[in-house]
Structures are given as structure tokens and as C-alpha cells.
Amino acid sequence: MTPGDLTTLTHVKEWLGIPDSNTSSDAMLSRLIGSLSASVRTSLYRYSLLSQEYVEVRDGTGTNKLVLKNWPVTSVLGVNIGSAVIPKGTTIDGTRTSGWYLTPYDGNPPGNVQVIELSGYNYPYGTQNISVSYVAGYLI
């Protein structure tokens, strides 16, 4: 399986009823998997659909919301404004503490984009002054 493939050769052969011992079509099936996976990613405007770590370095917009480029987000590893580390916010008795909050994944593929919203902070105007690292994508 090459990076970006949306399935494995083993899964395709199983679906087609081809025994693992029959390798005569492996090269062709592998090329088809790669080609069709790339076509799906291109039509969805997504670099990858598989779970992996991303680091987005973005320009500050003066707002408190940042739409992430990849989803579903399974974990946020860090949110930074310049060299300042923004803590994860918590909700206590319905009140948000200062920090970042991730809009939840709706659970229905392909899902909606997700947003890192700040409480008590904003993403100040600037060039490449925001950094968000996170894990996003689907598991196969």
C-alpha cells in the first residue's frame, strides 16, 4: 500500500474473490488502487483521507475561529499563536474557560469541516503567526 491509497491490495483481492496465492494481477490492481485513490482525493480537494498528523501554519485573521483543512479531527496536539501555547479550554457549569475548543465531528462521512474556536483569545492579524498541529482522517 502506497501513501494515499484508500484501500489495500489484500482487501481488493478478497472483494474480487482472488486468492492471495494468485499474484498474476497484483501489479495491475495496485496501479488501479493508486489511480482511483488519487482521483477520489482530487475530486474531494483533499490531500489525504487517511489518518495522519498535520501541522498547519496559517496567517492570523483577527477572528477567534480557524477552519481546519483536514477532517475528521481525532486529536489536537497543539495550538500556538507565535510562541505562545494556547491551552485546551474546558467547560465548567456551561461556562467556557479561556483556551481552544474543537467543533465536534458529526460522525457521518464525509462529515463537515471542523473549526478550532478560541475563547479569551483571537487569532491576531499576522503572517504565518498561527500553528495548529492535529491528527485527522479516517482509518481503514
Side-chain angles (χ1 to χ4, degrees):
M1 186 169 173
T2 58
D5 284 353
L6 300 177
T7 190
T8 64
L9 179 61
T10 300
H11 287 141
V12 170
K13 287 175 74 170
E14 181 181 313
W15 185 75
L16 292 172
I18 300 172
D20 282 338
S21 58
N22 181 347
T23 60
S24 63
S25 58
D26 285 6
M28 177 195 62
L29 291 173
S30 293
R31 285 191 305 275
L32 286 171
I33 290 168
S35 177
L36 291 172
S37 295
S39 178
V40 168
R41 291 190 318 272
T42 299
S43 68
L44 294 174
Y45 302 102
R46 303 272 296 273
Y47 171 74
S48 177
L49 297 174
L50 303 180
S51 184
Q52 64 183 52
E53 186 175 323
Y54 296 92
V55 177
E56 290 188 29
V57 178
R58 308 275 289 277
D59 295 346
T61 60
T63 69
N64 70 331
K65 294 181 182 179
L66 181 74
V67 177
L68 298 173
K69 294 179 181 178
N70 301 282
W71 69 91
V73 175
T74 54
S75 67
V76 176
L77 307 173
V79 177
N80 293 55
I81 299 173
S83 60
V85 176
I86 307 304
K88 179 178 182 178
T90 58
T91 303
I92 301 170
D93 295 328
T95 303
R96 285 183 163 189
T97 63
S98 291
W100 60 261
Y101 293 84
L102 174 68
T103 57
Y105 171 55
D106 65 11
N108 298 311
N112 295 316
V113 296
Q114 289 175 273
V115 174
I116 294 280
E117 183 176 356
L118 300 181
S119 178
Y121 300 89
N122 71 1
Y123 296 108
Y125 288 104
T127 304
Q128 305 289 287
N129 61 332
I130 309 300
S131 175
V132 180
S133 56
Y134 61 99
V135 177
Y138 304 95
L139 300 173
I140 59 168

